[in-house]
Amino acid sequence: MNICFAPCPVVFDLDGTLIDSVPDIHACVNAVLRLHGVSPLTLDQVRGFVGGGVDLLWRRVISATRLPTEAHRDLVASFMTRYHDATGLTRLYPNVAETLGVLADRGYPLGICTNKPLGPTRAILDHFGLAQLFGVVVGGDSLPERKPDPAPLLAAFAGLGADPHKPRGVYVGDSEFDEECARNTGVPFLLFTRGYRKTPVEKMTHHGTFDDFASLPLLVEETAAVG
């Protein structure tokens, strides 16, 4: 059992969970492609490439555009110069800020575990005035491993005071990467259904689903109570 007798840590994915960042990612990708004389990708194409971190994003972009694979490092570097502070097109999902405030007020330690690089992650949290709510932020370049490897999520829970070997708490995310990471870590997974997943909800393993953050505090309470 993974029972939380006191408010237990709640760790969140970022892109597709707390924020809709695809418009900014899409703009940065196409800015780099234009430099190489490559036709732009659609928003839906880029949305389908998001979730596994910047390296995987660009492996997928290269495959879709037939750019040379040996250009990968330079393309990523060019992308990162734009992506580091790309916040203008990104939006919080409805009721995110209010819900994070409710959870914090109820004593839940909050954290972030994302495959987004740490620099852009901190930039977007600062942009929306959310940084102070999170006791730990683990980005896609914080450790050698990325989700779905359990190491980043274990580090996030440990940073919030949980047992680093057998954490108690809840992970909230939107994608197959998040589902697998929660399973590998051994914590309950709550699925936000308006994010970037490709798999039907009924085919994913989860302890609950929601499409409105206003319903999350009760869902966290119920999930933590049953383990």
Side-chain angles (χ1 to χ4, degrees):
M1 296 288 285
N2 191 28
I3 299 174
C4 299
F5 296 97
C8 60
V10 182
V11 179
F12 293 86
D13 174 52
L14 188 57
D15 297 273
T17 300
L18 299 180
I19 60 172
D20 181 9
S21 55
V22 164
D24 269 317
I25 297 172
H26 175 245
C28 293
V29 165
N30 281 339
V32 175
L33 294 181
R34 281 194 298 270
L35 291 177
H36 293 267
V38 176
S39 298
L41 298 176
T42 68
L43 188 70
D44 284 342
Q45 281 178 300
V46 173
R47 182 181 289 109
F49 298 162
V50 169
V54 171
D55 282 344
L56 180 57
L57 167 70
W58 274 97
R59 286 201 295 271
R60 290 170 169 174
V61 171
I62 287 168
S63 177
T65 58
R66 299 187 179 180
L67 282 163
T69 55
E70 58 268 22
H72 180 271
R73 181 177 295 181
D74 290 340
L75 291 167
V76 168
S78 182
F79 172 80
M80 286 302 299
T81 63
R82 296 162 173 80
Y83 185 44
H84 188 273
D85 57 358
T87 59
L89 302 176
T90 296
R91 298 290 181 267
L92 291 175
Y93 285 106
N95 296 316
V96 162
E98 296 85 351
T99 295
L100 292 174
V102 168
L103 290 171
D105 287 345
R106 293 181 182 177
Y108 289 95
L110 305 181
I112 294 285
C113 180
T114 175
N115 279 338
K116 193 185 195 78
L118 189 59
T121 294
R122 292 197 180 281
I124 205 71
L125 294 176
D126 287 340
H127 175 72
F128 287 113
L130 301 177
Q132 75 281 358
L133 294 173
F134 297 103
V136 65
V137 177
V138 178
D141 52 359
S142 296
L143 299 173
E145 303 85 2
R146 296 187 182 91
K147 298 181 300 180
D149 190 286
L153 188 52
L154 286 169
F157 280 117
L160 295 173
D163 184 334
H165 303 293
K166 191 176 181 181
R168 65 185 186 94
V170 177
Y171 188 45
V172 182
D174 71 295
S175 74
E176 295 84 354
F177 289 96
D178 302 324
E179 171 204 33
E180 186 178 351
C181 186
R183 185 168 63 249
N184 291 341
T185 306
V187 296
F189 175 59
L190 299 180
L191 175 64
F192 178 56
T193 58
R194 293 176 59 185
Y196 303 155
R197 65 183 164 78
K198 305 172 187 68
T199 305
V201 171
E202 62 271 15
K203 293 186 177 181
M204 294 183 68
T205 302
H206 53 76
H207 291 73
T209 67
F210 65 104
D211 63 4
D212 183 345
F213 268 82
S215 64
L216 183 61
L218 179 58
L219 190 57
V220 166
E221 183 178 319
E222 293 172 344
T223 303
V226 300

